[in-house]
Amino acid sequence: MNTRTGYVVFGHGSSIESANAMVRRVAADLARAGGYRVEAAFLELAQPDLMAAVGVLAREGMARVVVIPYFLTLGVHLQRDLPRIAAEAASIQKDVSIEITPPLDGHPALVRVLLDRVAEAKTAVV
């Protein structure tokens, strides 16, 4: 049984290309740091969309795709849009299991990130 797993870092997408580039960079950094096969994908305003990213991973033989929302909180896009799109992708890529992780909210690393930002602000020249 093929248990190859690919990952998708799923962002909202922006009309500001540098914001999309940062999501792509995070996906590439995750791939390098973990040795994983990772694609970036976007809900809107940028490409590729989730359907295309899942298609790429499926063509590479991934039997499982884990979608990691690059969203802070569980809003309407993650409650309604992402499950619908993932189900649609699964109906097309019948040999691929698609799973969705929780958003970033609540992860203990977020407090560490905020503490870093506080430290940066304290040392910033005003």
Side-chain angles (χ1 to χ4, degrees):
M1 184 169 109
N2 182 351
T3 58
R4 290 188 57 190
T5 300
Y7 299 87
V8 176
V9 175
F10 181 72
H12 184 277
S14 174
S15 59
I16 300 170
E17 182 50 37
S18 61
N20 302 325
M22 290 308 297
V23 175
R24 290 185 190 98
R25 181 177 160 197
V26 165
D29 289 348
L30 174 62
R32 261 189 308 281
Y36 305 119
R37 180 61 183 91
V38 183
E39 286 285 316
F42 301 92
L43 176 66
E44 58 189 16
L45 303 172
Q47 293 296 319
D49 61 13
L50 183 59
M51 196 77 78
V54 169
V56 166
L57 294 170
R59 284 189 296 281
E60 292 178 8
M62 302 302 159
R64 179 176 174 240
V65 172
V66 177
V67 180
I68 306 165
Y70 198 63
F71 285 67
L72 188 55
T73 59
L74 182 64
V76 70
H77 290 313
L78 296 188
Q79 285 184 337
R80 182 188 63 204
D81 299 329
L82 179 53
R84 176 185 50 77
I85 297 166
E88 201 174 311
S91 74
I92 293 169
Q93 303 294 340
K94 296 188 186 309
D95 294 333
V96 177
S97 165
I98 300 175
E99 301 166 27
I100 302 168
T101 72
L104 301 174
D105 187 29
H107 193 286
L110 285 177
V111 171
R112 291 191 300 275
V113 169
L114 293 173
L115 286 169
D116 285 349
R117 292 295 189 230
V118 167
E120 291 167 5
K122 289 172 97 174
T123 61
V125 177
V126 181

